[in-house]
């Protein structure tokens, strides 16, 4: 099977599942517990990155930039449910 045939078959299956259960294709929701855990974890990571910027200097700044970009792209991917195009 070619890639286009595989993708078409996958889209057909997902479309059928979404027609049967609209919640299947709906937006993802996080519980309050998960949001709180993510907020605490994010705060700890951010504090650690600030310390690294002071201790490591330029390398800490570069690491902080890489982590921030990765988190933003990961959040966008999670929100959209697919890779950015």
């Amino acid at each position: 099977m070619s890639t286009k045939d595989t993708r078409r078959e996958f889209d057909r299956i997902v479309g059928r599942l979404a027609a049967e259960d609209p919640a299947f294709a709906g937006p993802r929701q996080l519980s309050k517990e998960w949001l709180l855990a993510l907020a605490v974890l994010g705060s700890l990571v951010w504090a650690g990155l600030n310390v690294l910027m002071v201790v490591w200097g330029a390398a800490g700044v570069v690491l902080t930039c890489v982590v921030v970009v990765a988190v933003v792209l990961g959040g966008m991917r999670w929100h959209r449910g697919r890779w950015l195009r």
Side-chain angles (χ1 to χ4, degrees), residues 6 12 15 19 23-24 33 40-41 46-47 71 75 78:
T6 304
R12 187 182 63 76
F24 178 78
E33 293 83 13
V40 169
L41 180 64
W46 187 251
V71 167
W78 180 84

Side-chain angles (χ1 to χ4, degrees), residues 6-54:
T6 304
R7 182 65 186 185
R8 190 176 311 126
E9 180 69 17
F10 176 78
D11 289 340
R12 187 182 63 76
I13 292 170
V14 170
R16 190 176 61 222
L17 289 172
E20 292 174 6
D21 183 12
F24 178 78
R28 300 175 189 177
Q29 300 279 332
L30 285 179
S31 67
K32 289 182 181 180
E33 293 83 13
W34 274 105
L35 286 175
L36 179 63
L38 286 174
V40 169
L41 180 64
S43 299
L44 291 173
V45 168
W46 187 251
L49 288 171
N50 283 313
V51 170
L52 283 179
M53 284 193 288
V54 172

